[in-house]
Amino acid sequence: MQGNFSLKAMRILVSLITPFTLTVLASSPASALGLLGATHKQVSRLGQAATSVVITLKPAHCKRGHLRHASLYLKGIRSNKNPGTAYRIFLNLPQDAQPDPQRKEHIGDLNFYGIDQTSQRDYSIPFDPQLLISSHMRTCTATIIFVPMATLANGSTPGIDAIEIWGK
């Protein structure tokens, strides 16, 4: 019965296994994600201190209830040598809030262990689209904060080529 397994059935099966990954959502034309905003330059260095990146979003996507799925896409994660650390990632953390992993704004961790000049990768993190709409936001932007979880290895320069926010 090879070849009789329909594309629709395969999409349903894959979506049951991994319901919110960018790869799965982007594979179906009916549920394709759209680019909501992106960085216009590299995040050339993530350091020992917290690093903030602001992305301007399309205003239509900042309305409550407009989005059902959202994903942060980190493209070209790299380092000149193994930095020996990971970073906690927060989205739209209020200015007066501490970056606590128990907060709803903590959307995931980026593991840099094993990354060096011979390797590079991309990473997608699904998140609650309601984090893009918040009472403390005055403009239609997304602020992504990378907080190191350990001391950065001497001489390492971890970075990211591009950061994108996708949604539908």
Side-chain angles (χ1 to χ4, degrees):
M1 294 305 250
Q2 188 176 9
N4 288 340
F5 196 70
S6 76
L7 183 58
K8 183 177 181 180
M10 187 164 46
R11 285 186 184 134
I12 291 170
L13 176 63
V14 171
S15 69
L16 289 172
I17 296 168
T18 55
F20 298 109
T21 63
L22 178 63
T23 305
V24 172
L25 291 171
S27 70
S28 170
S31 64
L33 295 176
L35 183 64
L36 307 181
T39 55
H40 297 290
K41 63 179 183 173
Q42 290 182 330
V43 179
S44 57
R45 179 141 163 77
L46 294 175
Q48 193 58 49
T51 302
S52 294
V53 177
V54 177
I55 296 176
T56 301
L57 304 172
K58 296 176 183 177
H61 299 298
C62 292
K63 296 177 183 169
R64 188 168 303 282
H66 179 76
L67 297 172
R68 291 176 295 158
H69 302 286
S71 186
L72 180 71
Y73 184 60
L74 307 174
K75 188 188 259 183
I77 299 163
R78 59 182 163 60
S79 186
N80 64 326
K81 71 178 201 174
N82 187 343
T85 191
Y87 288 81
R88 295 210 189 282
I89 303 172
F90 296 86
L91 177 63
N92 289 335
L93 186 68
Q95 280 188 322
D96 60 342
Q98 292 298 312
D100 180 344
Q102 300 303 313
R103 293 189 61 92
K104 68 178 181 179
E105 294 89 357
H106 175 238
I107 61 170
D109 298 328
L110 173 59
N111 184 341
F112 267 91
Y113 292 104
I115 293 284
D116 60 26
Q117 64 187 6
T118 63
S119 60
Q120 179 175 310
R121 68 175 182 237
D122 299 342
Y123 185 50
S124 177
I125 305 169
F127 64 87
D128 179 356
Q130 293 305 307
L131 287 174
L132 295 175
I133 299 107
S134 174
S135 60
H136 70 273
M137 293 173 60
R138 290 186 172 83
T139 60
C140 192
T141 59
T143 301
I144 299 104
I145 302 172
F146 297 88
V147 180
M149 296 169 62
T151 302
L152 198 63
N154 286 337
S156 66
T157 55
I160 301 168
D161 289 339
I163 301 174
E164 302 171 344
I165 295 180
W166 292 78
K168 75 162 205 124

